[in-house]
Amino acid sequence: MSGIRIARFGGFVNAYLVDEDDGMTLIDTTFGRGAAKVILAQARRPIVRIILTHAHQDHVGGLDALAAQLPDAEVLMSARDARLMAGDNSPEPGEPNGDKIRGYGADTKPTRTIAPGERVGSLEVVAAPGHTPGQLVFLDTRDRTLFAADAYTTLGGVATTAKPNPRFPLPAMSTWHRPTALETARNLRALNPARLAAGHGKVVENPGAAMDAAIAKAS
Ligand SMILES: [Zn+2]
């Protein structure tokens, strides 16, 4: 993996620092007091951009403190979840009627929104709706690491968020639309990632078979 996992609260939630030519890209911010301090302490080089996978508290909670200390860093996320982060929980026309559509507010606004198919440094932006309507995940084109946000979790075993994993049910419980999450899990499996770097749990090498099993469990 071209970067490091920053695990907080005993591995409950992760951020990732990814190496790029111009500095480091931070994927997600974790949350709680000390998030910024812990992340900045682990950055070997300047953090030049912050990407947010989705607008849930455990991923964007550290954003305001980090942005205050990194005034020149870009802040990137999907337009859809930027709306959630700004406090607008209304559905979009044509969107399925999900169980929970609630973002976590932050004062910081993205400097730019990003969309599937774009590249951010070495990372390909991939659509991953379901957990939230606008969740994005990132495929590192150098080594096929999939930064999977909460499309998959690996805490308590590899699981989708389309069905609660009894050993770690929280991410599925807070998932907006489970059928969409399952479709996303299938689409991400088809990318054949070499490594699964999820929002919760350890990095899993050669995750194909475990992803298949997780999809089967949720189908
Ligand atoms: Zn999460």
Side-chain angles (χ1 to χ4, degrees), residues 54 58-59 131 150 200:
H54 64 291
D58 47 339
H59 300 259
H131 183 60
D150 288 3
H200 304 269

Side-chain angles (χ1 to χ4, degrees), residues 158 193 209:
V158 174

Side-chain angles (χ1 to χ4, degrees), residues 129-191:
H131 183 60
T132 63
Q135 181 175 248
L136 296 175
V137 300
F138 300 89
L139 184 68
D140 193 323
T141 52
R142 294 167 293 193
D143 64 359
R144 301 198 73 74
T145 298
L146 182 64
F147 295 97
D150 288 3
Y152 282 89
T153 56
T154 66
L155 189 61
V158 174
T160 69
T161 44
K163 188 181 178 189
N165 172 3
R167 294 165 71 192
F168 183 46
L170 194 68
M173 304 295 284
S174 60
T175 287
W176 159 66
H177 193 251
R178 291 180 187 178
T180 305
L182 181 57
E183 197 183 315
T184 283
R186 290 198 176 101
N187 292 342
L188 300 184
R189 170 65 183 97
L191 296 175

Side-chain angles (χ1 to χ4, degrees), residues 73-76 109-113:
E74 278 194 290
V75 177
L76 310 175
K109 305 270 176 281
T111 55
R112 182 162 68 85
T113 59

